[in-house]
Amino acid sequence: MLPSGNFSLPKVIARLIAAIMLMFASPCLARGEPAGGPIQYLPGIAGDYFRHDSKALGRPLHIYVKLPESYDSDLDRRYPVSYVLDGDTLYPMLAPAHLFLHYDDKLPEAVIVGIAYGSLGKDVNMRHFDFWPVLEDGSPGGSAAFLTMLENELLPAISAQYRVDDSQRTLFGQSRGGSFVLYAANQRPGLFRGYIASNPGRETDKHLYGWNSAPVSAKSGSTLVVTSGSRDRDYLRDGAEEWGGWIAGSTDLPWTAHLVRIKGGTHAASAVQAYRAGMMRVFGLIDAENSDEVGSARAP
């Protein structure tokens, strides 16, 4: 016997069917979004994504990949590839910036790879550990494992999935990420064509990593760029200037090295300027000595 009142069996069945359909429907389709989610409405940063479960680190990373505009039309072409540390914040800035550098400065189109943790919280975001070989208390950091992850896991994965030119890799890092770039440049001088360290932090010896010590191998043909903002913290600017003096007097470096001073540049907010300054030198598109925007020091 059916309950009395406004109960209607057809209405109940219809509501159940609607609920089941909603439960199994794609969340994107339910909100009227494209299959790739709302990020696909932002072509400057839209692209591929995959989760990388790193064996070397024992935890996951989130990898974002921005493909060049010509990628789907020029199928025989392989592209330079730019790896961006701190992808959580820097990838959304530098992926579209590279596009404009291609338009205005004739920088080659490139695949941009953002290496992200998925959070800014220290329980997930391990930049304070991964990017330093030695921590402030003198205990070992995670740079060796992070470099192993790059060399043995992520770089081969990107090379297998995308049409990249492995001889045209660049690594960019800011602050502690810049410290890791210096570490990678000294430990693996030929792994990347370009190493760009924006306002890198100083190590426990109060100098930039690699100061006054021989890198692990002979000449590589790579380019190392350290950028220093004129409005960065005094001790970081001083460290960069000391490093610049060292490279200017060195003749046995495995890379061509530059110190680029970003006029008016701050510690973090000038990352796009640092990326531009570094990439233009890596690809030989600027004469640093004649630039009215920056100065440089270069190893002979």
Side-chain angles (χ1 to χ4, degrees):
M1 186 174 179
L2 295 176
S4 59
N6 294 326
F7 179 85
S8 168
L9 185 59
K11 288 183 179 179
V12 171
I13 294 174
R15 289 173 182 171
L16 285 173
I17 293 174
I20 293 171
M21 291 178 65
L22 183 62
M23 182 170 58
F24 285 99
S26 164
C28 291
L29 296 178
R31 293 192 299 269
E33 295 166 0
I39 195 174
Q40 298 304 322
Y41 288 123
L42 298 172
I45 60 174
D48 285 351
Y49 159 83
F50 62 91
R51 170 175 163 146
H52 175 66
D53 293 298
S54 172
K55 293 181 180 178
L57 302 180
R59 43 189 156 82
L61 295 168
H62 300 276
I63 309 302
Y64 293 85
V65 182
K66 177 71 179 74
L67 299 175
E69 284 187 297
S70 64
Y71 191 84
D72 290 332
S73 59
D74 195 350
L75 299 181
D76 294 326
R77 183 176 173 187
R78 290 190 172 273
Y79 294 84
V81 53
S82 179
Y83 290 86
V84 177
L85 303 177
D86 284 320
D88 307 83
T89 52
L90 289 177
Y91 172 80
M93 296 164 54
L94 298 184
H98 192 106
L99 180 66
F100 292 150
L101 291 173
H102 170 65
Y103 289 164
D104 292 349
D105 291 326
K106 309 310 176 187
L107 191 67
E109 287 186 289
V111 174
I112 312 298
V113 179
I115 305 169
Y117 290 100
S119 171
L120 297 181
K122 283 193 172 184
D123 55 333
V124 174
N125 191 311
M126 297 296 290
R127 70 188 303 273
H128 58 282
F129 179 78
D130 288 339
F131 295 163
W132 274 14
V134 180
L135 303 182
E136 292 176 330
D137 63 3
S139 61
S143 291
F146 198 85
L147 183 56
T148 296
M149 179 279 298
L150 276 179
E151 185 173 19
N152 296 342
E153 298 176 9
L154 185 57
L155 268 60
I158 293 296
S159 297
Q161 294 181 57
Y162 305 98
R163 298 194 316 275
V164 298
D165 181 350
D166 289 335
S167 69
Q168 303 289 316
R169 298 173 179 143
T170 301
L171 179 65
F172 178 87
Q174 152 68 28
S175 191
R176 288 199 178 192
S179 297
F180 177 81
V181 169
L182 288 173
Y183 174 82
N186 278 268
Q187 297 297 310
R188 299 288 189 277
L191 187 58
F192 295 88
R193 172 181 173 173
Y195 300 84
I196 306 172
S198 171
N199 293 323
R202 301 196 305 177
E203 302 299 320
T204 53
D205 62 0
K206 305 305 180 187
H207 293 290
L208 302 192
Y209 185 86
W211 163 265
N212 214 22
S213 62
V216 297
S217 65
K219 228 162 178 38
S220 66
S222 299
T223 298
L224 168 60
V225 182
V226 170
T227 70
S228 178
S230 66
R231 293 172 55 207
D232 196 8
R233 298 152 195 165
D234 291 344
Y235 70 94
L236 291 177
R237 287 203 319 274
D238 292 345
E241 292 295 332
E242 290 173 339
W243 183 87
W246 167 59
I247 65 166
S250 300
T251 58
D252 57 349
L253 301 176
W255 4 254
T256 296
H258 301 265
L259 170 64
V260 179
R261 305 176 187 93
I262 306 293
K263 293 182 179 179
T266 59
H267 182 68
S270 302
V272 172
Q273 292 170 270
Y275 183 82
R276 178 179 183 265
M279 293 296 284
M280 296 293 279
R281 281 158 182 78
V282 169
F283 285 91
L285 297 176
I286 191 168
D287 179 356
E289 286 71 25
N290 294 326
S291 170
D292 60 1
E293 296 181 6
V294 296
S296 75
R298 179 174 178 170

